[in-house]
Amino acid sequence: MNHREKYSWLYDVLFLLVLVLAGYLRLTGVNWGEGQHQHPDENFLAGVLGSLQAHKCADAAIPVEACPPEQKQWMGIGDYFNSKTSTLNPYNRGFSFFVYGNLPMTIVRVAAEASNQLDVKTIGRQFSALADLFTILILYFIVARLYDRRVALLASRFSASRLMRKKAMRGAPRGGHTDAQR
């Protein structure tokens, strides 16, 4: 048994530290911009998310927006897949030019309604951060399988540190302060 095989668990522990650091960087300060400085795609998606509804009215003649709270009920799987009437379908909510996938939007909207959180932008950013962390985890497993844990740790570290490039691309203020504080 050589030195590298004897301490291979150390790379897994170091990877967990990288994953914790990546989570910290991605999940703190998700309200950057304080309602301002949104990227146009994020602004559009927040508008679409605000119009979607994961509930339906027990009385089909009443739109879900005008439905009394005691008559609101969660959509069933059949209601979701009925693309002509689903209130989780952006095309039925006035967004006929929607070109993004529906699954992430549906997951975020259901989570927002289940948690009674009205700020879909923030919960959307949190889900985006969790998806990014999952990507780093999968990257580590794939690279460890193809090469070794040392290379996987390096790859996951590079992926974890790309956050600043992503935030700069989205127009986030640098240095942890807003433009008004500069």
Side-chain angles (χ1 to χ4, degrees):
M1 180 182 283
N2 67 23
H3 182 68
R4 189 177 291 168
E5 291 173 0
K6 185 177 178 183
Y7 296 107
S8 64
W9 59 270
L10 184 61
Y11 294 109
D12 293 335
V13 171
L14 289 173
F15 168 70
L16 288 176
L17 291 174
V18 166
L19 200 59
V20 166
L21 174 67
Y24 175 77
L25 291 173
R26 284 158 177 76
L27 292 169
T28 56
V30 293
N31 195 21
W32 57 263
E34 300 165 351
Q36 307 294 321
H37 312 293
Q38 288 185 348
H39 186 276
D41 286 341
E42 182 185 39
N43 196 24
F44 172 71
L45 290 174
V48 173
L49 270 171
S51 74
L52 300 180
Q53 298 290 323
H55 287 87
K56 67 177 185 174
C57 193
D59 183 358
I62 302 174
V64 69
E65 293 84 12
C67 186
E70 63 273 359
Q71 289 188 9
K72 281 188 179 181
Q73 53 187 328
W74 285 98
M75 292 175 57
I77 194 78
D79 298 318
Y80 173 71
F81 283 112
N82 185 352
S83 61
K84 293 186 188 279
T85 61
S86 175
T87 54
L88 284 171
N89 184 349
Y91 294 98
N92 296 337
R93 309 301 286 175
F95 295 95
S96 59
F97 50 89
F98 188 76
V99 296
Y100 302 96
N102 284 9
L103 183 62
M105 300 286 287
T106 300
I107 291 171
V108 170
R109 186 63 207 191
V110 168
E113 287 191 29
S115 65
N116 247 357
Q117 186 170 353
L118 300 176
D119 186 12
V120 291
K121 178 184 62 174
T122 301
I123 198 167
R125 287 176 180 176
Q126 291 168 339
F127 270 87
S128 176
L130 291 176
D132 202 21
L133 291 175
F134 182 71
T135 302
I136 294 170
L137 178 71
I138 295 300
L139 174 72
Y140 179 77
F141 288 141
I142 290 172
V143 174
R145 175 95 177 183
L146 292 175
Y147 299 100
D148 64 13
R149 289 179 175 162
R150 184 178 47 150
V151 176
L153 178 65
L154 188 64
S156 62
R157 172 62 184 98
F158 284 148
S159 183
S161 65
R162 75 172 182 74
L163 173 73
M164 294 317 293
R165 180 185 58 80
K166 184 176 181 179
K167 277 194 175 181
M169 177 180 68
R170 293 290 191 191
R174 289 151 190 81
H177 56 272
T178 63
D179 289 335
Q181 295 171 326
R182 287 185 193 179

